[in-house]
Amino acid sequence: MNLKQEDKYDTLSYSGIFLSCFSEYGTHCIHSKPEHVLVYIYSGEHVIVDRNKKTIIKAGECAFIRRDNRLQMFKNSKGADFYKGISVKLLSKQL
């Protein structure tokens, strides 16, 4: 999927879920959240590093990220495709 300059900031919306991350260039973060997260990669690739284990999630794939893990995450463009990913936090109800 190639995006034109004027299209690069459009958002994807489906059933109340919106595009949560859009990057023309690679980004890096440390994930340490109190919630479980489900990530779907629309385009580009998502690299997760947990200690010495590297997992690459490609376009069309999804991953479940457990809460309270300290992970390095890289969100990269792949060729001409910018990174686009949807993240859904799974909140737990306290009893």
Side-chain angles (χ1 to χ4, degrees):
M1 176 176 160
N2 292 324
L3 295 176
K4 298 178 205 162
Q5 183 71 22
E6 63 270 13
D7 294 335
K8 73 180 200 173
Y9 295 112
D10 288 345
T11 58
L12 174 70
S13 179
Y14 180 77
S15 295
I17 298 171
F18 64 94
L19 182 66
S20 65
C21 184
F22 188 137
S23 178
E24 183 173 353
Y25 307 104
T27 60
H28 171 258
C29 67
I30 303 291
H31 176 85
S32 182
K33 301 286 183 189
E35 304 92 6
H36 297 301
V37 178
L38 184 62
V39 178
Y40 173 78
I41 307 307
Y42 184 77
S43 65
E45 71 178 11
H46 193 114
V47 179
I48 299 172
V49 179
D50 182 9
R51 295 177 199 97
N52 294 325
K53 183 181 178 187
K54 180 194 256 187
T55 303
I56 299 174
I57 307 161
K58 299 176 184 175
E61 298 179 338
C62 62
F64 178 79
I65 301 172
R66 290 186 352 218
R67 67 180 177 195
D68 298 330
N69 276 331
R70 189 163 171 82
L71 307 171
Q72 288 186 9
M73 297 198 300
F74 300 87
K75 301 170 182 179
N76 302 322
S77 298
K78 188 74 173 171
D81 292 336
F82 299 139
Y83 174 87
K84 289 184 179 182
I86 299 170
S87 300
V88 179
K89 289 195 282 185
L90 306 173
L91 304 175
S92 63
K93 185 176 179 180
Q94 298 292 333
L95 299 176

